[in-house]
Amino acid sequence: MRQIVLDTETTGLNPRTGDRVIEIGCVELLNRQLTGNNLHFYINPERDSEEGALAVHGLTTEFLSDKPKFAAIVDEFRDYVRDAEIIIHNAPFDVGFLDAEFKLLGLPPFKEHVDNVIDSLQMAKEQHPGRRNSLDALCDRYGISNAHRTLHGGLLDAALLAEVYLAMTRGQNSLTMDLAGGDDEDGAVKLELAPLADVIVVAASEAELGLHETVLNTLDKEVRGTCVWRKEAEAEAPPA
C-alpha cells in the first residue's frame, strides 16, 4: 500500500481570489513504513504573500522569485502522487488550492490523479471529539516532538503528519483476513499485533553539513540578511 502524506503552503487563504501554492512537501509511506522517497518544491507564485500567511511560513517574494512556476513542476508532482492514497490535514484546503493550480493549466482536478484522499483532521475529530486537533495538538497528544517547528513548512509538516497518522492508525497493524478453513469459528485467521519498526536516525556527514551550510548561505543572500532557518537554529542552540 503506497500512501503520500502531503502539505502545502500558500500566499493566502483563498484560491478564488488569486492566492497560489508556494510550497509542496510530500512524504512517502509504503506498507506503513517511511521510505525516504520524499518530494519537495518551492514554487514562484508570481504574486506576494498576504501578511498573515507570510508570518506563518516565512517564504518571502524575493526568496521565491527564482523558483520554478507550478507549470514547471506539475508533471513530476503528478507522476509522484499518481494512484497513491493521499493523507492531508484539513484536506479541503490543500485540495482546493491544488485544484485551482491544475485548472489554470487545463488539467483535471487533483483527486482524479490519485487513488483516494484521507483528511486526517476529520479523522482526528472523530477520534477525539471536542478536543483541539491541530497538528501541534496531535503531536503533543501522541508524544511526537515538534520543538523544531517555529514556522510552518511543507516538508516538515508532512513529516510530522506522517508520524501523527501512523500513531492515530496504529491499530491497523492488527488485521483480520477472511480465509476459508481458518481456526476461528467464523473462518477468519487473526494476526497478532506487530510492533512498528524502530526509527533509524542517521547523522549527517561532514560533506552533507557543508552542503547544508552552502544552502543557508544562499538563502541569506536572497533575503539580504539571515534566513528564517538559520534564525531557528540559533534560537534552539544551547546557551554558551
Side-chain angles (χ1 to χ4, degrees), residues 126-163:
E126 293 170 359
Q127 292 187 10
H128 311 287
R131 302 182 67 181
R132 293 177 59 247
N133 289 298
S134 66
L135 183 55
D136 284 334
L138 291 171
C139 285
D140 290 341
R141 191 168 301 150
Y142 290 105
I144 296 166
S145 175
N146 62 345
H148 52 300
R149 182 182 186 252
T150 57
L151 289 170
H152 286 249
L155 190 57
L156 172 60
D157 285 3
L160 288 173
L161 180 56
E163 294 188 63

PDB file of all heavy atoms in Angstrom, residues 126-163:
ATOM      1  N   GLU A 126     -13.082  12.771  14.751  1.00  0.00           N
ATOM      2  CA  GLU A 126     -13.905  11.612  15.068  1.00  0.00           C
ATOM      3  C   GLU A 126     -13.316  10.812  16.228  1.00  0.00           C
ATOM      4  O   GLU A 126     -14.055  10.269  17.061  1.00  0.00           O
ATOM      5  CB  GLU A 126     -14.037  10.719  13.827  1.00  0.00           C
ATOM      6  CG  GLU A 126     -14.837  11.373  12.698  1.00  0.00           C
ATOM      7  CD  GLU A 126     -14.768  10.591  11.403  1.00  0.00           C
ATOM      8  OE1 GLU A 126     -14.065   9.544  11.382  1.00  0.00           O
ATOM      9  OE2 GLU A 126     -15.406  11.017  10.414  1.00  0.00           O
ATOM     10  N   GLN A 127     -11.988  10.759  16.310  1.00  0.00           N
ATOM     11  CA  GLN A 127     -11.339  10.009  17.380  1.00  0.00           C
ATOM     12  C   GLN A 127     -11.285  10.804  18.683  1.00  0.00           C
ATOM     13  O   GLN A 127     -11.292  10.214  19.773  1.00  0.00           O
ATOM     14  CB  GLN A 127      -9.922   9.607  16.962  1.00  0.00           C
ATOM     15  CG  GLN A 127      -9.870   8.591  15.845  1.00  0.00           C
ATOM     16  CD  GLN A 127      -8.455   8.106  15.577  1.00  0.00           C
ATOM     17  OE1 GLN A 127      -7.525   8.384  16.331  1.00  0.00           O
ATOM     18  NE2 GLN A 127      -8.280   7.385  14.479  1.00  0.00           N
ATOM     19  N   HIS A 128     -11.199  12.139  18.566  1.00  0.00           N
ATOM     20  CA  HIS A 128     -11.042  12.994  19.747  1.00  0.00           C
ATOM     21  C   HIS A 128     -12.053  14.135  19.701  1.00  0.00           C
ATOM     22  O   HIS A 128     -11.679  15.313  19.587  1.00  0.00           O
ATOM     23  CB  HIS A 128      -9.618  13.559  19.810  1.00  0.00           C
ATOM     24  CG  HIS A 128      -8.536  12.533  19.630  1.00  0.00           C
ATOM     25  ND1 HIS A 128      -8.213  11.611  20.595  1.00  0.00           N
ATOM     26  CD2 HIS A 128      -7.716  12.271  18.571  1.00  0.00           C
ATOM     27  CE1 HIS A 128      -7.229  10.834  20.165  1.00  0.00           C
ATOM     28  NE2 HIS A 128      -6.919  11.214  18.936  1.00  0.00           N
ATOM     29  N   PRO A 129     -13.338  13.836  19.764  1.00  0.00           N
ATOM     30  CA  PRO A 129     -14.356  14.889  19.654  1.00  0.00           C
ATOM     31  C   PRO A 129     -14.247  15.903  20.793  1.00  0.00           C
ATOM     32  O   PRO A 129     -13.989  15.541  21.938  1.00  0.00           O
ATOM     33  CB  PRO A 129     -15.674  14.106  19.728  1.00  0.00           C
ATOM     34  CG  PRO A 129     -15.331  12.813  20.390  1.00  0.00           C
ATOM     35  CD  PRO A 129     -13.937  12.498  19.973  1.00  0.00           C
ATOM     36  N   GLY A 130     -14.439  17.165  20.432  1.00  0.00           N
ATOM     37  CA  GLY A 130     -14.425  18.224  21.426  1.00  0.00           C
ATOM     38  C   GLY A 130     -13.051  18.654  21.876  1.00  0.00           C
ATOM     39  O   GLY A 130     -12.930  19.514  22.757  1.00  0.00           O
ATOM     40  N   ARG A 131     -12.001  18.111  21.286  1.00  0.00           N
ATOM     41  CA  ARG A 131     -10.637  18.472  21.668  1.00  0.00           C
ATOM     42  C   ARG A 131      -9.943  19.190  20.519  1.00  0.00           C
ATOM     43  O   ARG A 131     -10.387  19.154  19.375  1.00  0.00           O
ATOM     44  CB  ARG A 131      -9.846  17.218  22.053  1.00  0.00           C
ATOM     45  CG  ARG A 131     -10.481  16.430  23.180  1.00  0.00           C
ATOM     46  CD  ARG A 131      -9.659  15.219  23.560  1.00  0.00           C
ATOM     47  NE  ARG A 131      -8.377  15.584  24.150  1.00  0.00           N
ATOM     48  CZ  ARG A 131      -7.472  14.698  24.548  1.00  0.00           C
ATOM     49  NH1 ARG A 131      -7.712  13.390  24.396  1.00  0.00           N
ATOM     50  NH2 ARG A 131      -6.326  15.078  25.085  1.00  0.00           N
ATOM     51  N   ARG A 132      -8.848  19.892  20.831  1.00  0.00           N
ATOM     52  CA  ARG A 132      -8.058  20.551  19.797  1.00  0.00           C
ATOM     53  C   ARG A 132      -7.400  19.476  18.944  1.00  0.00           C
ATOM     54  O   ARG A 132      -6.822  18.523  19.467  1.00  0.00           O
ATOM     55  CB  ARG A 132      -6.994  21.460  20.406  1.00  0.00           C
ATOM     56  CG  ARG A 132      -7.555  22.656  21.129  1.00  0.00           C
ATOM     57  CD  ARG A 132      -6.448  23.480  21.778  1.00  0.00           C
ATOM     58  NE  ARG A 132      -5.486  23.949  20.796  1.00  0.00           N
ATOM     59  CZ  ARG A 132      -4.216  23.536  20.734  1.00  0.00           C
ATOM     60  NH1 ARG A 132      -3.766  22.638  21.585  1.00  0.00           N
ATOM     61  NH2 ARG A 132      -3.398  24.031  19.819  1.00  0.00           N
ATOM     62  N   ASN A 133      -7.477  19.650  17.629  1.00  0.00           N
ATOM     63  CA  ASN A 133      -6.936  18.643  16.725  1.00  0.00           C
ATOM     64  C   ASN A 133      -6.032  19.250  15.660  1.00  0.00           C
ATOM     65  O   ASN A 133      -5.926  18.710  14.560  1.00  0.00           O
ATOM     66  CB  ASN A 133      -8.078  17.849  16.088  1.00  0.00           C
ATOM     67  CG  ASN A 133      -8.758  16.919  17.085  1.00  0.00           C
ATOM     68  OD1 ASN A 133      -8.127  16.018  17.625  1.00  0.00           O
ATOM     69  ND2 ASN A 133     -10.028  17.165  17.366  1.00  0.00           N
ATOM     70  N   SER A 134      -5.392  20.373  15.998  1.00  0.00           N
ATOM     71  CA  SER A 134      -4.375  20.920  15.106  1.00  0.00           C
ATOM     72  C   SER A 134      -3.195  19.965  15.065  1.00  0.00           C
ATOM     73  O   SER A 134      -3.071  19.051  15.905  1.00  0.00           O
ATOM     74  CB  SER A 134      -3.912  22.284  15.594  1.00  0.00           C
ATOM     75  OG  SER A 134      -3.231  22.156  16.838  1.00  0.00           O
ATOM     76  N   LEU A 135      -2.300  20.155  14.113  1.00  0.00           N
ATOM     77  CA  LEU A 135      -1.130  19.280  14.022  1.00  0.00           C
ATOM     78  C   LEU A 135      -0.286  19.386  15.284  1.00  0.00           C
ATOM     79  O   LEU A 135       0.194  18.371  15.807  1.00  0.00           O
ATOM     80  CB  LEU A 135      -0.305  19.645  12.780  1.00  0.00           C
ATOM     81  CG  LEU A 135       0.917  18.759  12.505  1.00  0.00           C
ATOM     82  CD1 LEU A 135       0.535  17.283  12.412  1.00  0.00           C
ATOM     83  CD2 LEU A 135       1.610  19.202  11.221  1.00  0.00           C
ATOM     84  N   ASP A 136      -0.111  20.603  15.807  1.00  0.00           N
ATOM     85  CA  ASP A 136       0.653  20.771  17.043  1.00  0.00           C
ATOM     86  C   ASP A 136      -0.009  20.029  18.205  1.00  0.00           C
ATOM     87  O   ASP A 136       0.669  19.372  19.007  1.00  0.00           O
ATOM     88  CB  ASP A 136       0.780  22.260  17.383  1.00  0.00           C
ATOM     89  CG  ASP A 136       1.802  22.966  16.502  1.00  0.00           C
ATOM     90  OD1 ASP A 136       2.719  22.294  16.003  1.00  0.00           O
ATOM     91  OD2 ASP A 136       1.691  24.187  16.323  1.00  0.00           O
ATOM     92  N   ALA A 137      -1.346  20.150  18.308  1.00  0.00           N
ATOM     93  CA  ALA A 137      -2.058  19.482  19.399  1.00  0.00           C
ATOM     94  C   ALA A 137      -1.931  17.969  19.300  1.00  0.00           C
ATOM     95  O   ALA A 137      -1.754  17.273  20.309  1.00  0.00           O
ATOM     96  CB  ALA A 137      -3.528  19.894  19.388  1.00  0.00           C
ATOM     97  N   LEU A 138      -1.990  17.440  18.076  1.00  0.00           N
ATOM     98  CA  LEU A 138      -1.867  15.997  17.888  1.00  0.00           C
ATOM     99  C   LEU A 138      -0.451  15.513  18.192  1.00  0.00           C
ATOM    100  O   LEU A 138      -0.265  14.422  18.737  1.00  0.00           O
ATOM    101  CB  LEU A 138      -2.275  15.618  16.468  1.00  0.00           C
ATOM    102  CG  LEU A 138      -3.768  15.775  16.156  1.00  0.00           C
ATOM    103  CD1 LEU A 138      -4.026  15.580  14.668  1.00  0.00           C
ATOM    104  CD2 LEU A 138      -4.596  14.787  16.967  1.00  0.00           C
ATOM    105  N   CYS A 139       0.544  16.328  17.846  1.00  0.00           N
ATOM    106  CA  CYS A 139       1.925  15.973  18.195  1.00  0.00           C
ATOM    107  C   CYS A 139       2.059  15.851  19.708  1.00  0.00           C
ATOM    108  O   CYS A 139       2.670  14.900  20.220  1.00  0.00           O
ATOM    109  CB  CYS A 139       2.901  17.022  17.652  1.00  0.00           C
ATOM    110  SG  CYS A 139       3.187  16.923  15.860  1.00  0.00           S
ATOM    111  N   ASP A 140       1.489  16.808  20.439  1.00  0.00           N
ATOM    112  CA  ASP A 140       1.526  16.737  21.903  1.00  0.00           C
ATOM    113  C   ASP A 140       0.801  15.499  22.414  1.00  0.00           C
ATOM    114  O   ASP A 140       1.272  14.804  23.316  1.00  0.00           O
ATOM    115  CB  ASP A 140       0.885  17.991  22.504  1.00  0.00           C
ATOM    116  CG  ASP A 140       1.722  19.241  22.293  1.00  0.00           C
ATOM    117  OD1 ASP A 140       2.933  19.102  22.010  1.00  0.00           O
ATOM    118  OD2 ASP A 140       1.168  20.350  22.397  1.00  0.00           O
ATOM    119  N   ARG A 141      -0.357  15.204  21.824  1.00  0.00           N
ATOM    120  CA  ARG A 141      -1.184  14.093  22.295  1.00  0.00           C
ATOM    121  C   ARG A 141      -0.495  12.755  22.104  1.00  0.00           C
ATOM    122  O   ARG A 141      -0.607  11.853  22.935  1.00  0.00           O
ATOM    123  CB  ARG A 141      -2.523  14.111  21.556  1.00  0.00           C
ATOM    124  CG  ARG A 141      -3.585  13.175  22.123  1.00  0.00           C
ATOM    125  CD  ARG A 141      -4.929  13.500  21.505  1.00  0.00           C
ATOM    126  NE  ARG A 141      -5.284  14.885  21.775  1.00  0.00           N
ATOM    127  CZ  ARG A 141      -6.031  15.643  20.959  1.00  0.00           C
ATOM    128  NH1 ARG A 141      -6.505  15.137  19.834  1.00  0.00           N
ATOM    129  NH2 ARG A 141      -6.308  16.891  21.270  1.00  0.00           N
ATOM    130  N   TYR A 142       0.246  12.622  20.991  1.00  0.00           N
ATOM    131  CA  TYR A 142       0.871  11.338  20.684  1.00  0.00           C
ATOM    132  C   TYR A 142       2.362  11.306  21.022  1.00  0.00           C
ATOM    133  O   TYR A 142       3.057  10.352  20.666  1.00  0.00           O
ATOM    134  CB  TYR A 142       0.657  10.998  19.206  1.00  0.00           C
ATOM    135  CG  TYR A 142      -0.778  10.650  18.878  1.00  0.00           C
ATOM    136  CD1 TYR A 142      -1.589  11.544  18.200  1.00  0.00           C
ATOM    137  CD2 TYR A 142      -1.319   9.427  19.263  1.00  0.00           C
ATOM    138  CE1 TYR A 142      -2.912  11.240  17.908  1.00  0.00           C
ATOM    139  CE2 TYR A 142      -2.631   9.098  18.977  1.00  0.00           C
ATOM    140  CZ  TYR A 142      -3.434  10.011  18.299  1.00  0.00           C
ATOM    141  OH  TYR A 142      -4.739   9.697  18.018  1.00  0.00           O
ATOM    142  N   GLY A 143       2.844  12.330  21.710  1.00  0.00           N
ATOM    143  CA  GLY A 143       4.237  12.330  22.145  1.00  0.00           C
ATOM    144  C   GLY A 143       5.242  12.457  21.024  1.00  0.00           C
ATOM    145  O   GLY A 143       6.334  11.886  21.095  1.00  0.00           O
ATOM    146  N   ILE A 144       4.890  13.219  19.985  1.00  0.00           N
ATOM    147  CA  ILE A 144       5.781  13.429  18.836  1.00  0.00           C
ATOM    148  C   ILE A 144       6.409  14.811  18.963  1.00  0.00           C
ATOM    149  O   ILE A 144       5.707  15.817  19.043  1.00  0.00           O
ATOM    150  CB  ILE A 144       5.003  13.315  17.515  1.00  0.00           C
ATOM    151  CG1 ILE A 144       4.466  11.878  17.369  1.00  0.00           C
ATOM    152  CG2 ILE A 144       5.874  13.692  16.320  1.00  0.00           C
ATOM    153  CD1 ILE A 144       3.422  11.721  16.292  1.00  0.00           C
ATOM    154  N   SER A 145       7.720  14.878  18.995  1.00  0.00           N
ATOM    155  CA  SER A 145       8.410  16.148  19.211  1.00  0.00           C
ATOM    156  C   SER A 145       8.277  17.054  17.993  1.00  0.00           C
ATOM    157  O   SER A 145       8.602  16.669  16.874  1.00  0.00           O
ATOM    158  CB  SER A 145       9.894  15.911  19.494  1.00  0.00           C
ATOM    159  OG  SER A 145      10.578  17.151  19.586  1.00  0.00           O
ATOM    160  N   ASN A 146       7.788  18.280  18.238  1.00  0.00           N
ATOM    161  CA  ASN A 146       7.750  19.293  17.188  1.00  0.00           C
ATOM    162  C   ASN A 146       8.417  20.572  17.672  1.00  0.00           C
ATOM    163  O   ASN A 146       8.074  21.663  17.247  1.00  0.00           O
ATOM    164  CB  ASN A 146       6.301  19.571  16.752  1.00  0.00           C
ATOM    165  CG  ASN A 146       5.449  20.115  17.900  1.00  0.00           C
ATOM    166  OD1 ASN A 146       5.843  20.025  19.072  1.00  0.00           O
ATOM    167  ND2 ASN A 146       4.299  20.669  17.587  1.00  0.00           N
ATOM    168  N   ALA A 147       9.407  20.405  18.580  1.00  0.00           N
ATOM    169  CA  ALA A 147      10.077  21.567  19.162  1.00  0.00           C
ATOM    170  C   ALA A 147      10.805  22.385  18.114  1.00  0.00           C
ATOM    171  O   ALA A 147      11.015  23.584  18.283  1.00  0.00           O
ATOM    172  CB  ALA A 147      11.056  21.099  20.244  1.00  0.00           C
ATOM    173  N   HIS A 148      11.193  21.744  17.019  1.00  0.00           N
ATOM    174  CA  HIS A 148      11.937  22.426  15.967  1.00  0.00           C
ATOM    175  C   HIS A 148      11.020  23.175  15.007  1.00  0.00           C
ATOM    176  O   HIS A 148      11.488  23.796  14.063  1.00  0.00           O
ATOM    177  CB  HIS A 148      12.763  21.415  15.167  1.00  0.00           C
ATOM    178  CG  HIS A 148      11.969  20.259  14.653  1.00  0.00           C
ATOM    179  ND1 HIS A 148      11.289  19.388  15.482  1.00  0.00           N
ATOM    180  CD2 HIS A 148      11.731  19.811  13.394  1.00  0.00           C
ATOM    181  CE1 HIS A 148      10.681  18.471  14.764  1.00  0.00           C
ATOM    182  NE2 HIS A 148      10.923  18.709  13.490  1.00  0.00           N
ATOM    183  N   ARG A 149       9.708  23.170  15.263  1.00  0.00           N
ATOM    184  CA  ARG A 149       8.744  23.750  14.329  1.00  0.00           C
ATOM    185  C   ARG A 149       8.303  25.128  14.828  1.00  0.00           C
ATOM    186  O   ARG A 149       7.302  25.268  15.506  1.00  0.00           O
ATOM    187  CB  ARG A 149       7.536  22.815  14.191  1.00  0.00           C
ATOM    188  CG  ARG A 149       6.470  23.275  13.192  1.00  0.00           C
ATOM    189  CD  ARG A 149       5.336  22.265  13.208  1.00  0.00           C
ATOM    190  NE  ARG A 149       4.326  22.541  12.198  1.00  0.00           N
ATOM    191  CZ  ARG A 149       3.108  23.001  12.483  1.00  0.00           C
ATOM    192  NH1 ARG A 149       2.778  23.275  13.725  1.00  0.00           N
ATOM    193  NH2 ARG A 149       2.236  23.203  11.512  1.00  0.00           N
ATOM    194  N   THR A 150       9.069  26.169  14.492  1.00  0.00           N
ATOM    195  CA  THR A 150       8.672  27.524  14.842  1.00  0.00           C
ATOM    196  C   THR A 150       7.927  28.191  13.694  1.00  0.00           C
ATOM    197  O   THR A 150       7.160  29.117  13.904  1.00  0.00           O
ATOM    198  CB  THR A 150       9.906  28.379  15.202  1.00  0.00           C
ATOM    199  OG1 THR A 150      10.826  28.369  14.103  1.00  0.00           O
ATOM    200  CG2 THR A 150      10.599  27.820  16.437  1.00  0.00           C
ATOM    201  N   LEU A 151       8.165  27.739  12.488  1.00  0.00           N
ATOM    202  CA  LEU A 151       7.427  28.191  11.315  1.00  0.00           C
ATOM    203  C   LEU A 151       6.844  26.969  10.611  1.00  0.00           C
ATOM    204  O   LEU A 151       7.355  25.868  10.742  1.00  0.00           O
ATOM    205  CB  LEU A 151       8.339  28.956  10.339  1.00  0.00           C
ATOM    206  CG  LEU A 151       8.811  30.337  10.767  1.00  0.00           C
ATOM    207  CD1 LEU A 151       9.884  30.825   9.804  1.00  0.00           C
ATOM    208  CD2 LEU A 151       7.666  31.328  10.811  1.00  0.00           C
ATOM    209  N   HIS A 152       5.761  27.185   9.875  1.00  0.00           N
ATOM    210  CA  HIS A 152       5.211  26.105   9.062  1.00  0.00           C
ATOM    211  C   HIS A 152       6.111  25.887   7.846  1.00  0.00           C
ATOM    212  O   HIS A 152       6.663  26.826   7.280  1.00  0.00           O
ATOM    213  CB  HIS A 152       3.801  26.470   8.578  1.00  0.00           C
ATOM    214  CG  HIS A 152       2.774  26.401   9.653  1.00  0.00           C
ATOM    215  ND1 HIS A 152       1.779  25.449   9.669  1.00  0.00           N
ATOM    216  CD2 HIS A 152       2.585  27.155  10.752  1.00  0.00           C
ATOM    217  CE1 HIS A 152       1.021  25.626  10.730  1.00  0.00           C
ATOM    218  NE2 HIS A 152       1.486  26.665  11.414  1.00  0.00           N
ATOM    219  N   GLY A 153       6.250  24.650   7.424  1.00  0.00           N
ATOM    220  CA  GLY A 153       6.978  24.323   6.210  1.00  0.00           C
ATOM    221  C   GLY A 153       6.380  23.066   5.617  1.00  0.00           C
ATOM    222  O   GLY A 153       6.017  22.134   6.360  1.00  0.00           O
ATOM    223  N   GLY A 154       6.255  23.010   4.294  1.00  0.00           N
ATOM    224  CA  GLY A 154       5.562  21.908   3.656  1.00  0.00           C
ATOM    225  C   GLY A 154       6.141  20.549   3.988  1.00  0.00           C
ATOM    226  O   GLY A 154       5.412  19.620   4.380  1.00  0.00           O
ATOM    227  N   LEU A 155       7.461  20.387   3.850  1.00  0.00           N
ATOM    228  CA  LEU A 155       8.066  19.073   4.070  1.00  0.00           C
ATOM    229  C   LEU A 155       8.110  18.731   5.557  1.00  0.00           C
ATOM    230  O   LEU A 155       7.849  17.587   5.949  1.00  0.00           O
ATOM    231  CB  LEU A 155       9.470  19.038   3.469  1.00  0.00           C
ATOM    232  CG  LEU A 155      10.133  17.658   3.401  1.00  0.00           C
ATOM    233  CD1 LEU A 155       9.269  16.677   2.610  1.00  0.00           C
ATOM    234  CD2 LEU A 155      11.519  17.749   2.781  1.00  0.00           C
ATOM    235  N   LEU A 156       8.424  19.724   6.401  1.00  0.00           N
ATOM    236  CA  LEU A 156       8.452  19.490   7.840  1.00  0.00           C
ATOM    237  C   LEU A 156       7.080  19.085   8.356  1.00  0.00           C
ATOM    238  O   LEU A 156       6.932  18.116   9.108  1.00  0.00           O
ATOM    239  CB  LEU A 156       8.929  20.750   8.564  1.00  0.00           C
ATOM    240  CG  LEU A 156       8.844  20.735  10.094  1.00  0.00           C
ATOM    241  CD1 LEU A 156       9.682  19.608  10.668  1.00  0.00           C
ATOM    242  CD2 LEU A 156       9.275  22.078  10.664  1.00  0.00           C
ATOM    243  N   ASP A 157       6.036  19.810   7.935  1.00  0.00           N
ATOM    244  CA  ASP A 157       4.684  19.488   8.393  1.00  0.00           C
ATOM    245  C   ASP A 157       4.226  18.123   7.878  1.00  0.00           C
ATOM    246  O   ASP A 157       3.531  17.380   8.582  1.00  0.00           O
ATOM    247  CB  ASP A 157       3.700  20.573   7.948  1.00  0.00           C
ATOM    248  CG  ASP A 157       3.834  21.845   8.779  1.00  0.00           C
ATOM    249  OD1 ASP A 157       4.720  21.883   9.650  1.00  0.00           O
ATOM    250  OD2 ASP A 157       3.065  22.796   8.549  1.00  0.00           O
ATOM    251  N   ALA A 158       4.598  17.776   6.643  1.00  0.00           N
ATOM    252  CA  ALA A 158       4.237  16.468   6.102  1.00  0.00           C
ATOM    253  C   ALA A 158       4.919  15.352   6.893  1.00  0.00           C
ATOM    254  O   ALA A 158       4.312  14.307   7.165  1.00  0.00           O
ATOM    255  CB  ALA A 158       4.613  16.383   4.622  1.00  0.00           C
ATOM    256  N   ALA A 159       6.180  15.563   7.277  1.00  0.00           N
ATOM    257  CA  ALA A 159       6.897  14.548   8.054  1.00  0.00           C
ATOM    258  C   ALA A 159       6.262  14.371   9.432  1.00  0.00           C
ATOM    259  O   ALA A 159       6.105  13.237   9.921  1.00  0.00           O
ATOM    260  CB  ALA A 159       8.365  14.938   8.186  1.00  0.00           C
ATOM    261  N   LEU A 160       5.878  15.484  10.082  1.00  0.00           N
ATOM    262  CA  LEU A 160       5.209  15.397  11.379  1.00  0.00           C
ATOM    263  C   LEU A 160       3.861  14.698  11.235  1.00  0.00           C
ATOM    264  O   LEU A 160       3.495  13.855  12.056  1.00  0.00           O
ATOM    265  CB  LEU A 160       5.015  16.797  11.971  1.00  0.00           C
ATOM    266  CG  LEU A 160       6.270  17.495  12.494  1.00  0.00           C
ATOM    267  CD1 LEU A 160       5.938  18.938  12.880  1.00  0.00           C
ATOM    268  CD2 LEU A 160       6.853  16.754  13.689  1.00  0.00           C
ATOM    269  N   LEU A 161       3.116  15.057  10.187  1.00  0.00           N
ATOM    270  CA  LEU A 161       1.807  14.454   9.983  1.00  0.00           C
ATOM    271  C   LEU A 161       1.931  12.951   9.723  1.00  0.00           C
ATOM    272  O   LEU A 161       1.065  12.171  10.142  1.00  0.00           O
ATOM    273  CB  LEU A 161       1.074  15.135   8.824  1.00  0.00           C
ATOM    274  CG  LEU A 161      -0.319  14.596   8.505  1.00  0.00           C
ATOM    275  CD1 LEU A 161      -1.227  14.649   9.732  1.00  0.00           C
ATOM    276  CD2 LEU A 161      -0.952  15.369   7.350  1.00  0.00           C
ATOM    277  N   ALA A 162       2.983  12.534   9.038  1.00  0.00           N
ATOM    278  CA  ALA A 162       3.186  11.103   8.793  1.00  0.00           C
ATOM    279  C   ALA A 162       3.306  10.360  10.123  1.00  0.00           C
ATOM    280  O   ALA A 162       2.699   9.296  10.314  1.00  0.00           O
ATOM    281  CB  ALA A 162       4.429  10.884   7.935  1.00  0.00           C
ATOM    282  N   GLU A 163       4.076  10.921  11.057  1.00  0.00           N
ATOM    283  CA  GLU A 163       4.212  10.281  12.360  1.00  0.00           C
ATOM    284  C   GLU A 163       2.890  10.286  13.118  1.00  0.00           C
ATOM    285  O   GLU A 163       2.527   9.305  13.777  1.00  0.00           O
ATOM    286  CB  GLU A 163       5.298  11.001  13.171  1.00  0.00           C
ATOM    287  CG  GLU A 163       6.696  10.868  12.604  1.00  0.00           C
ATOM    288  CD  GLU A 163       7.733  11.439  13.542  1.00  0.00           C
ATOM    289  OE1 GLU A 163       7.874  10.915  14.663  1.00  0.00           O
ATOM    290  OE2 GLU A 163       8.400  12.421  13.173  1.00  0.00           O
TER     291      GLU A 163
END
